[in-house]
Amino acid sequence: AFSAPQPTVTAKSDLAIVGCGVLGTSLCKQLLSSSAFASRTVVGITKSTSRHDDIRGQVLGNVDDGKDNERFVVMTMEEVLSQYNGHSFKDVVFCAPPSGFDDYPSAVKDAATQLWSGPDSGGSFVFTSSGGV
């Protein structure tokens, strides 16, 4: 199992991926391999810790060389809100499916208001959906 490294940069330069299912996990892997995001830490956000080791394995592969291990962190929403202590992310991608929430519109709104630093930060909030595919 991979250890859970703590984020090494501030939320202002981190990129949050809310929902690390098939779509979110694939996106994390692609971002980490892109030279355009070489200086960014990717924070995968889940509802529970039950799949964290599996997600780390899928994103980082079986290589534990420390390089991408320092740039990828997977945490629950509660852990993120606690650790970042009100600091928001410049960029947020929302990949979580509606099936995981009692009130999906509120979950999307909460991600935008609690995690994203807003349009004045120069970053983006991206909502994705794979429903009906």
Side-chain angles (χ1 to χ4, degrees), residues 17 19-30 51 54-55 58-59 95-97 128 130:
I17 308 296
C20 280
V22 173
L23 181 61
T25 299
S26 176
L27 179 59
C28 289
K29 188 172 185 172
Q30 291 174 53
R51 291 192 57 246
D54 182 47
I55 292 166
Q58 288 180 43
V59 171
C95 297
T128 66
S130 60

Side-chain angles (χ1 to χ4, degrees), residues 61-121:
N62 293 324
V63 179
D64 190 12
D65 63 5
K67 180 182 161 224
D68 285 340
N69 213 11
E70 294 175 7
R71 294 184 44 234
F72 178 67
V73 181
V74 61
M75 307 170 83
T76 64
M77 180 67 83
E78 292 78 21
E79 290 170 334
V80 168
L81 293 175
S82 171
Q83 179 150 343
Y84 284 97
N85 198 21
H87 296 287
S88 52
F89 294 85
K90 179 179 178 183
D91 298 296
V92 175
V93 180
F94 192 93
C95 297
S99 59
F101 298 91
D102 292 331
D103 185 355
Y104 191 62
S106 290
V108 176
K109 179 182 176 190
D110 289 348
T113 59
Q114 294 179 8
L115 297 176
W116 185 42
S117 57
D120 293 339
S121 71

